[in-house]
């Protein structure tokens, strides 16, 4: 009887699990349907706007407003979709209790001791926006580095590429393209491409800091408590500080 009871319970658990999974699947499908309908409605509204109206809204969002109408519609659609996501995230954060917000701030290394709930929500959103921008820049620069590295490898002869594969204990492929692909995969796996991205990041930041006038750079150093000396030293101090603290 005990075995029968356990067997029956197992069957019931499996059925309950399947029912719950099906309910979740239906909810996800319904959300996808609603999102698709909302997207289609928004695109219809954007297509009803003339080019000048599209440009005006894009310029207000610091977009250059250049391109054909369909390109402007796509750009404004991305902006509005992103704004919706931020609004939804803000509402979600506002629904959290203050102690939950404080824990979220602490987990991201942010101080919450001197700000109210709205301030904590804004701090989380600002941190997430900064992180999102960092990821976007990393992916953008990764694509640049990958394209450049692929171009460098493709400039080599098949024999050179085969020797490079052998030196890395990689099984050579058939043909030049296969050699290049295996070498790129190896550099991704070993972190070599990430290192090249880091080098590009540093070069880009160095150029941006070097382009600043001395007073602005001095103010930046003071704001992060980096000791300023001559301009070149200030640039290096800022790079060192950002590398350590992000």
């Amino acid at each position: 009887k005990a075995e029968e009871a356990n067997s029956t319970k197992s069957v019931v658990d499996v059925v309950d699990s399947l029912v719950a999974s099906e309910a979740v699947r239906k909810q996800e499908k319904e959300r996808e349907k609603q999102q698709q309908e909302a997207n289609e409605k928004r695109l219809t509204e954007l297509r009803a706007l003339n080019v000048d109206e599209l440009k005006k809204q894009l310029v207000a969002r610091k977009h250059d407003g250049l391109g054909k109408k369909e390109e402007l519609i796509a750009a404004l659609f991305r902006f509005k979709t992103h704004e919706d996501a931020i609004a939804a995230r803000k509402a979600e954060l506002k629904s959290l209790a203050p102690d939950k917000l404080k824990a979220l701030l602490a987990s991201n290394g942010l101080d919450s001791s001197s700000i109210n709930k709205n301030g904590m929500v804004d701090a989380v959103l600002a941190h997430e926006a900064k992180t999102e921008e960092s990821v976007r820049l990393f992916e953008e620069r990764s694509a640049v580095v990958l394209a450049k590295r692929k171009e460098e490898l493709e400039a080599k002869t098949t024999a050179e590429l085969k020797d490079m594969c052998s030196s890395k204990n990689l099984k050579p492929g058939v043909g030049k393209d296969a050699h290049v692909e295996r070498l790129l995969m190896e550099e991704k796996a070993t972190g070599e491409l990430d290192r090249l991205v880091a080098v590009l990041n540093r070069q880009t930041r160095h150029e941006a800091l070097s382009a600043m006038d001395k007073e602005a750079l001095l103010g930046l150093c003071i704001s992060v408590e980096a000791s300023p000396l001559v301009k070149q030293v200030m640039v290096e101090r800022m790079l060192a500080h950002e590398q350590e603290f992000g």
Side-chain angles (χ1 to χ4, degrees):
K1 290 183 179 180
E3 291 179 358
E4 290 178 0
N6 288 335
S7 178
T8 301
K9 184 177 183 303
S10 296
V11 172
V12 171
D13 288 344
V14 170
V15 171
D16 288 344
S17 178
L18 290 173
V19 170
S21 296
E22 180 63 16
V24 170
R25 189 188 68 79
K26 286 182 178 180
Q27 289 175 354
E28 290 178 349
K29 189 173 182 180
E30 181 61 26
R31 279 196 295 269
E32 290 174 0
K33 180 183 177 183
Q34 291 174 355
Q35 185 61 58
Q36 183 176 358
E37 290 174 349
N39 289 343
E40 290 173 354
K41 180 181 178 182
R42 170 162 287 166
L43 284 171
T44 299
E45 292 171 348
L46 293 177
R47 290 189 179 111
L49 300 176
N50 60 42
V51 172
D52 288 339
E53 289 171 329
L54 290 168
K55 288 183 176 181
K56 183 178 179 180
Q57 291 195 40
L58 284 169
V59 170
R61 292 170 169 82
K62 299 182 179 180
H63 186 279
D64 57 24
L66 300 177
K68 297 179 181 179
K69 183 173 181 178
E70 282 303 315
E71 293 172 335
L72 299 178
I73 289 172
L76 189 53
F77 178 83
R78 288 193 295 272
F79 272 114
K80 287 181 173 291
T81 300
H82 183 63
E83 289 163 3
D84 285 348
I86 293 175
R89 179 58 173 158
K90 188 170 186 177
E92 179 186 1
L93 291 171
K94 282 189 172 182
S95 70
L96 297 178
D99 59 329
K100 296 288 187 182
L101 281 171
K102 288 183 179 180
L104 183 57
L105 285 167
S107 68
N108 287 290
L110 303 173
D111 182 27
S112 63
S113 59
S114 60
I115 51 179
N116 57 26
K117 183 175 181 178
N118 286 336
M120 287 191 284
V121 169
D122 290 341
V124 171
L125 289 173
H127 175 75
E128 291 178 347
K130 183 179 179 181
T131 301
E132 182 179 324
E133 177 65 9
S134 296
V135 171
R136 186 191 68 78
L137 284 174
F138 179 82
E139 291 176 345
E140 181 181 285
R141 289 170 183 170
S142 292
V144 170
V145 167
L146 182 62
K148 182 179 180 181
R149 185 60 181 144
K150 184 176 182 181
E151 184 178 334
E152 291 172 349
L153 291 173
E154 288 176 340
K156 297 182 180 297
T157 65
T158 302
E160 289 174 327
L161 292 170
K162 187 174 181 180
D163 288 341
M164 288 178 68
C165 287
S166 298
S167 69
K168 296 176 182 292
N169 295 320
L170 299 175
K171 183 179 178 181
V174 179
K176 188 172 184 178
D177 289 343
H179 297 329
V180 169
E181 187 63 27
R182 293 192 178 182
L183 286 167
L184 288 175
M185 289 178 63
E186 169 69 9
E187 292 183 357
K188 283 183 182 180
T190 59
E192 175 60 16
L193 289 180
D194 288 346
R195 186 190 68 78
L196 293 175
V197 171
V199 170
L200 177 60
N201 286 341
R202 183 178 177 84
Q203 290 174 344
T204 302
R205 184 57 175 159
H206 190 286
E207 291 171 1
L209 291 171
S210 296
M212 296 173 67
D213 60 54
K214 186 175 179 180
E215 288 72 21
L217 193 58
L218 175 61
L220 188 57
C221 283
I222 292 173
S223 70
V224 297
E225 299 181 354
S227 300
L229 295 173
V230 298
K231 182 177 179 180
Q232 289 80 2
V233 175
M234 286 192 282
V235 169
E236 292 301 324
R237 291 285 175 88
M238 279 304 307
L239 289 171
H241 177 85
E242 290 174 354
Q243 184 174 0
E244 182 176 359
F245 298 102

